[in-house]
Short mmCIF file of all heavy atoms in Angstrom, two decimals:
data_model
loop_
_atom_site.label_atom_id
_atom_site.label_comp_id
_atom_site.label_asym_id
_atom_site.label_seq_id
_atom_site.Cartn_x
_atom_site.Cartn_y
_atom_site.Cartn_z
N PRO A 75 -1.07 7.28 -8.16
CA PRO A 75 -1.82 6.85 -9.34
C PRO A 75 -3.25 6.47 -9.00
O PRO A 75 -3.58 6.17 -7.87
CB PRO A 75 -1.02 5.63 -9.84
CG PRO A 75 -0.33 5.12 -8.62
CD PRO A 75 -0.03 6.31 -7.78
N ALA A 76 -4.10 6.49 -10.02
CA ALA A 76 -5.48 6.06 -9.87
C ALA A 76 -5.55 4.53 -9.92
O ALA A 76 -5.30 3.95 -10.96
CB ALA A 76 -6.35 6.67 -10.97
N ASN A 77 -5.82 3.92 -8.80
CA ASN A 77 -5.94 2.47 -8.72
C ASN A 77 -7.21 2.04 -9.47
O ASN A 77 -8.30 2.51 -9.16
CB ASN A 77 -6.02 2.08 -7.24
CG ASN A 77 -5.98 0.58 -7.01
OD1 ASN A 77 -5.99 -0.22 -7.93
ND2 ASN A 77 -5.90 0.20 -5.74
N PRO A 78 -7.11 1.17 -10.47
CA PRO A 78 -8.31 0.83 -11.26
C PRO A 78 -9.44 0.19 -10.47
O PRO A 78 -10.61 0.33 -10.83
CB PRO A 78 -7.76 -0.15 -12.31
CG PRO A 78 -6.31 0.20 -12.43
CD PRO A 78 -5.89 0.57 -11.04
N LEU A 79 -9.12 -0.57 -9.42
CA LEU A 79 -10.14 -1.20 -8.55
C LEU A 79 -11.02 -2.19 -9.33
O LEU A 79 -12.23 -2.29 -9.06
CB LEU A 79 -11.00 -0.14 -7.86
CG LEU A 79 -10.28 0.93 -7.04
CD1 LEU A 79 -11.29 1.90 -6.42
CD2 LEU A 79 -9.40 0.29 -5.99
N ARG A 80 -10.44 -2.94 -10.27
CA ARG A 80 -11.20 -3.91 -11.03
C ARG A 80 -10.92 -5.35 -10.59
O ARG A 80 -11.83 -6.11 -10.32
CB ARG A 80 -10.91 -3.76 -12.53
CG ARG A 80 -11.38 -2.45 -13.13
CD ARG A 80 -12.88 -2.28 -13.10
NE ARG A 80 -13.37 -1.82 -11.78
CZ ARG A 80 -14.64 -1.78 -11.43
NH1 ARG A 80 -15.58 -2.17 -12.26
NH2 ARG A 80 -14.98 -1.35 -10.24
N ASP A 81 -9.68 -5.74 -10.57
CA ASP A 81 -9.30 -7.04 -9.99
C ASP A 81 -7.86 -6.96 -9.57
O ASP A 81 -7.09 -6.15 -10.08
CB ASP A 81 -9.54 -8.21 -10.97
CG ASP A 81 -8.63 -8.15 -12.17
OD1 ASP A 81 -7.44 -8.48 -12.03
OD2 ASP A 81 -9.10 -7.78 -13.27
N LEU A 82 -7.49 -7.79 -8.60
CA LEU A 82 -6.19 -7.64 -7.95
C LEU A 82 -5.03 -7.80 -8.91
O LEU A 82 -4.07 -7.03 -8.88
CB LEU A 82 -6.07 -8.63 -6.79
CG LEU A 82 -4.78 -8.57 -5.96
CD1 LEU A 82 -4.59 -7.18 -5.37
CD2 LEU A 82 -4.81 -9.61 -4.85
N ALA A 83 -5.10 -8.79 -9.79
CA ALA A 83 -3.99 -9.01 -10.72
C ALA A 83 -3.82 -7.80 -11.66
O ALA A 83 -2.70 -7.33 -11.86
CB ALA A 83 -4.25 -10.28 -11.52
N HIS A 84 -4.93 -7.30 -12.19
CA HIS A 84 -4.85 -6.15 -13.09
C HIS A 84 -4.41 -4.90 -12.36
O HIS A 84 -3.56 -4.14 -12.85
CB HIS A 84 -6.20 -5.93 -13.76
CG HIS A 84 -6.24 -4.70 -14.64
ND1 HIS A 84 -6.71 -3.49 -14.19
CD2 HIS A 84 -5.85 -4.51 -15.93
CE1 HIS A 84 -6.60 -2.60 -15.17
NE2 HIS A 84 -6.10 -3.18 -16.23
N ASP A 85 -4.98 -4.66 -11.19
CA ASP A 85 -4.61 -3.45 -10.43
C ASP A 85 -3.14 -3.47 -10.06
O ASP A 85 -2.45 -2.44 -10.13
CB ASP A 85 -5.47 -3.36 -9.15
CG ASP A 85 -6.96 -3.25 -9.44
OD1 ASP A 85 -7.33 -2.92 -10.59
OD2 ASP A 85 -7.75 -3.50 -8.52
N SER A 86 -2.64 -4.65 -9.65
CA SER A 86 -1.23 -4.75 -9.27
C SER A 86 -0.33 -4.56 -10.49
O SER A 86 0.72 -3.91 -10.41
CB SER A 86 -0.97 -6.12 -8.64
OG SER A 86 -1.79 -6.31 -7.50
N ALA A 87 -0.73 -5.11 -11.61
CA ALA A 87 0.06 -4.95 -12.84
C ALA A 87 0.10 -3.47 -13.26
O ALA A 87 1.13 -2.98 -13.74
CB ALA A 87 -0.53 -5.80 -13.97
N TYR A 88 -1.03 -2.77 -13.06
CA TYR A 88 -1.06 -1.36 -13.41
C TYR A 88 -0.07 -0.56 -12.55
O TYR A 88 0.72 0.24 -13.05
CB TYR A 88 -2.46 -0.80 -13.26
CG TYR A 88 -2.49 0.69 -13.50
CD1 TYR A 88 -2.43 1.21 -14.79
CD2 TYR A 88 -2.56 1.60 -12.43
CE1 TYR A 88 -2.42 2.57 -15.03
CE2 TYR A 88 -2.56 2.95 -12.66
CZ TYR A 88 -2.50 3.43 -13.96
OH TYR A 88 -2.48 4.81 -14.18
N VAL A 89 -0.12 -0.77 -11.24
CA VAL A 89 0.78 -0.03 -10.35
C VAL A 89 2.23 -0.45 -10.64
O VAL A 89 3.14 0.40 -10.63
CB VAL A 89 0.41 -0.25 -8.88
CG1 VAL A 89 1.47 0.32 -7.94
CG2 VAL A 89 -0.94 0.38 -8.58
N SER A 90 2.44 -1.72 -10.93
CA SER A 90 3.80 -2.16 -11.29
C SER A 90 4.28 -1.44 -12.53
O SER A 90 5.47 -1.06 -12.62
CB SER A 90 3.78 -3.68 -11.52
OG SER A 90 5.07 -4.15 -11.88
N SER A 91 3.39 -1.20 -13.50
CA SER A 91 3.79 -0.50 -14.71
C SER A 91 4.15 0.95 -14.41
O SER A 91 5.00 1.53 -15.10
CB SER A 91 2.66 -0.56 -15.75
OG SER A 91 1.58 0.32 -15.43
N VAL A 92 3.51 1.54 -13.41
CA VAL A 92 3.88 2.91 -12.99
C VAL A 92 5.29 2.90 -12.43
O VAL A 92 6.13 3.75 -12.75
CB VAL A 92 2.87 3.45 -11.97
CG1 VAL A 92 3.36 4.78 -11.38
CG2 VAL A 92 1.49 3.62 -12.59
N VAL A 93 5.58 1.89 -11.60
CA VAL A 93 6.93 1.78 -11.01
C VAL A 93 7.97 1.61 -12.11
O VAL A 93 9.09 2.12 -12.03
CB VAL A 93 6.99 0.64 -10.00
CG1 VAL A 93 8.41 0.45 -9.46
CG2 VAL A 93 6.02 0.90 -8.84
N ASP A 94 7.61 0.90 -13.18
CA ASP A 94 8.53 0.69 -14.29
C ASP A 94 9.01 2.01 -14.92
O ASP A 94 10.08 2.05 -15.52
CB ASP A 94 7.85 -0.14 -15.40
CG ASP A 94 7.75 -1.62 -15.05
OD1 ASP A 94 8.52 -2.09 -14.19
OD2 ASP A 94 6.88 -2.30 -15.64
#
Side-chain angles (χ1 to χ4, degrees):
N77 188 353
L79 305 180
R80 294 296 81 190
D81 67 75
L82 182 57
H84 176 265
D85 298 343
S86 301
Y88 175 76
V89 171
S90 180
S91 76
V92 172
V93 176
D94 285 338

